Amino acid sequence: SAVISQKPSRDICQRGTSLTIQCQVDSQVTMMFWYRQQPGQSLTLIATANQGSEATYESGFVIDKFPISRPNLTFSTLTVSNMSPEDSSIYLCTHEGNEQFFGPGTRLTVL
Amino acid sequence: GDSVTQMEGPVTLSEEAFLTINCTYTATGYPSLFWYVQYPGEGLQLLLKATKADDKGSNKGFEATYRKETTSFHLEKGSVQVSDSAVYFCALSPFSGGYNKLIFGAGTRLAVHP
């Protein structure tokens, strides 16, 4: 499976601001997935991003809050908009076929 | 919709004890099933998987058998070590035979004492 790099690895943000997380894959993949892991919780899928089409959001997640871009087959971004402390989580991306390793993700703290 | 239910933790065991962590699922099709492990401060790692009924996944002494009749995928290990202390997540992928989006259980924390 492809190697995933994600940045930033961590950030501390003020409420009301937005943060864009970048996910780069070292080979072309069809589907990319964005997950959230809130403190002490399990992983929850936010959305599925296919290149050339709008992302598909899971129940409880909306595009206005978590806009996603997928400009090509190796890259995606997730923006966490108008942040509140409840958005403090680890955000992870992975891709179709990458069942082995999620990586450390982006640890976001909202003050 | 599809879902995964795991036994609540924490599970506390002494070293060399037998481990079982229960996992049951609800799915409309023929999902693939996974166990992931998360060590303190680290990302998720795939522990084992099974892609069809009666398959047994195994790794590092851990085993789980895909039981379609009971919709279960219980994780077992015959003799746990302190180094097995971690959070274990059961997950399913709704599409048979491969990997796609994952639906996770709540996770079960395991603490193994010497």
Side-chain angles (χ1 to χ4, degrees), chain A residues 60-102:
Chain A
F61 297 95
V62 294
I63 188 171
D64 289 347
K65 176 67 175 177
F66 297 102
I68 287 172
S69 77
R70 184 77 201 277
N72 57 53
L73 290 172
T74 64
F75 187 77
S76 179
T77 68
L78 169 76
T79 298
V80 186
S81 303
N82 188 24
M83 289 184 284
S84 67
E86 292 70 34
D87 294 320
S88 298
S89 298
I90 299 173
Y91 292 86
L92 305 106
C93 72
T94 186
H95 67 85
E96 179 187 20
N98 183 18
E99 61 186 337
Q100 302 295 327
F101 186 49
F102 272 75

Side-chain angles (χ1 to χ4, degrees), chain B residues 4-18:
Chain B
V4 175
T5 302
Q6 285 181 242
M7 65 185 290
E8 288 190 20
V11 174
T12 304
L13 295 173
S14 297
E15 207 165 23
E16 299 183 1
F18 184 86

Side-chain angles (χ1 to χ4, degrees), chain B residues 6-75:
Chain B
Q6 285 181 242
M7 65 185 290
E8 288 190 20
V11 174
T12 304
L13 295 173
S14 297
E15 207 165 23
E16 299 183 1
F18 184 86
L19 168 71
T20 299
I21 300 177
N22 289 339
C23 171
T24 57
Y25 68 90
T26 301
T28 53
Y30 300 92
S32 296
L33 302 173
F34 305 85
W35 277 101
Y36 282 82
V37 58
Q38 187 172 36
Y39 298 101
E42 299 184 14
L44 258 68
Q45 301 174 29
L46 178 67
L47 183 59
L48 53 84
K49 67 176 182 179
T51 58
K52 61 183 187 296
D54 299 325
D55 269 2
K56 177 185 284 188
S58 61
N59 186 26
K60 299 181 181 179
F62 291 90
E63 293 184 341
T65 301
Y66 188 146
R67 302 285 189 199
K68 193 172 187 305
E69 64 276 12
T70 54
T71 62
S72 65
F73 193 55
H74 305 321
L75 182 68

Side-chain angles (χ1 to χ4, degrees), chain A residues 31 33 35 37 41-45 48 58 94-104 107, chain B residues 6 34 36 38 41-46 49 89 98-107 109:
Chain A
M31 287 188 282
F33 305 95
Y35 289 83
Q37 186 177 25
Q41 303 295 314
S42 184
L43 272 73
T44 302
L45 180 65
T48 302
E58 298 297 307
T94 186
H95 67 85
E96 179 187 20
N98 183 18
E99 61 186 337
Q100 302 295 327
F101 186 49
F102 272 75
R107 184 179 294 272
Chain B
Q6 285 181 242
F34 305 85
Y36 282 82
Q38 187 172 36
E42 299 184 14
L44 258 68
Q45 301 174 29
L46 178 67
K49 67 176 182 179
F89 294 94
Y99 172 85
N100 203 283
K101 70 176 186 181
L102 289 169
I103 297 167
F104 285 86
R109 183 174 300 277

Side-chain angles (χ1 to χ4, degrees), chain A residues 48-56 68-70:
Chain A
T48 302
N50 285 344
Q51 193 269 337
S53 62
E54 286 205 2
T56 302
I68 287 172
S69 77
R70 184 77 201 277

